[in-house]
Amino acid sequence: MKTKFTIKSIFTVPILLGVVFGMIHVLPSIFTDPYYDDTLFPKIFLPGIMVFSFIVIFFGEIRTKYISVEINADEIIEKRFLGLQTKSYRCSEIEGWKYSHLPSKGGTYEYLYLYKDGHKIIKISEFYHRNYADVKSYVKTQFRDLGYEKFSYFDELKETFR
């Protein structure tokens, strides 16, 4: 079984490219344009927002959630960074799975976490994966249910930098 991306998840990459474009083309003009010489706010606020956005999108979304997972009978293959980084785990190494709910303006999305040695190693989400329900039902039959995990933005932030 292999995960498939939703249409809305594909917009993450163009948004990241827009932030990078802004960092390359807009930020230098703020520091070189004489119009902004007397204003400190744009020189602090805009770079801060752009760098923060880049970190959240690249390390938080692309690295941890925008992943492709292939589950075979004895192996799980995870592809991160748009397929540039591949990791594989033996199914016997997986302790089990937990699920969580992330509330957002567009609705509530469910996340499925696979655990190894007490740590989340793979996140599969309803937002990013269109065949989430199929993957979840398959995972239910193959691995032990570890229960529900309350969603925590603090834990998400820690995992961004782990």
Side-chain angles (χ1 to χ4, degrees):
M1 168 152 297
K2 187 174 181 173
T3 58
K4 298 173 185 158
F5 291 113
T6 61
I7 296 292
K8 56 189 167 189
S9 70
I10 295 173
F11 290 117
T12 307
V13 175
I15 291 170
L16 177 66
L17 293 175
V19 169
V20 170
F21 178 82
M23 291 173 71
I24 293 171
H25 292 289
V26 175
L27 287 182
S29 68
I30 291 173
F31 291 102
T32 57
D33 190 343
Y35 177 77
Y36 297 106
D37 283 346
D38 297 334
T39 57
L40 189 59
F41 182 73
K43 290 183 179 182
I44 294 174
F45 181 73
L46 282 177
I49 289 295
M50 287 191 168
V51 168
F52 178 75
S53 297
F54 176 79
I55 289 170
V56 167
I57 294 170
F58 187 74
F59 292 106
E61 299 294 318
I62 301 278
R63 186 179 69 87
T64 62
K65 297 174 189 162
Y66 197 80
I67 62 171
S68 175
V69 179
E70 187 175 343
I71 305 172
N72 299 321
D74 58 341
E75 181 181 45
I76 298 173
I77 302 167
E78 171 194 36
K79 294 180 182 178
R80 296 179 183 241
F81 291 117
L82 307 171
L84 296 175
Q85 181 185 26
T86 302
K87 286 185 180 180
S88 62
Y89 305 96
R90 289 190 313 266
C91 288
S92 60
E93 296 176 318
I94 305 299
E95 294 171 11
W97 62 276
K98 288 185 180 181
Y99 72 99
S100 182
H101 290 104
L102 169 65
S104 70
K105 287 183 181 180
T108 300
Y109 296 101
E110 189 171 281
Y111 280 76
L112 181 111
Y113 308 113
L114 294 179
Y115 279 81
K116 176 185 171 189
D117 300 329
H119 297 288
K120 296 175 192 172
I121 55 167
I122 297 175
K123 284 184 199 177
I124 303 170
S125 75
E126 193 175 18
F127 178 82
Y128 283 95
H129 303 99
R130 68 180 152 143
N131 60 339
Y132 174 81
D134 297 334
V135 173
K136 182 179 178 183
S137 64
Y138 183 79
V139 166
K140 278 183 174 181
T141 63
Q142 299 297 316
F143 303 106
R144 188 170 60 123
D145 183 358
L146 302 174
Y148 179 79
E149 179 172 311
K150 186 177 179 187
F151 185 81
S152 167
Y153 285 105
F154 182 70
D155 288 343
E156 287 291 314
L157 186 64
K158 283 192 320 188
E159 290 172 18
T160 297
F161 298 107
R162 181 173 60 101

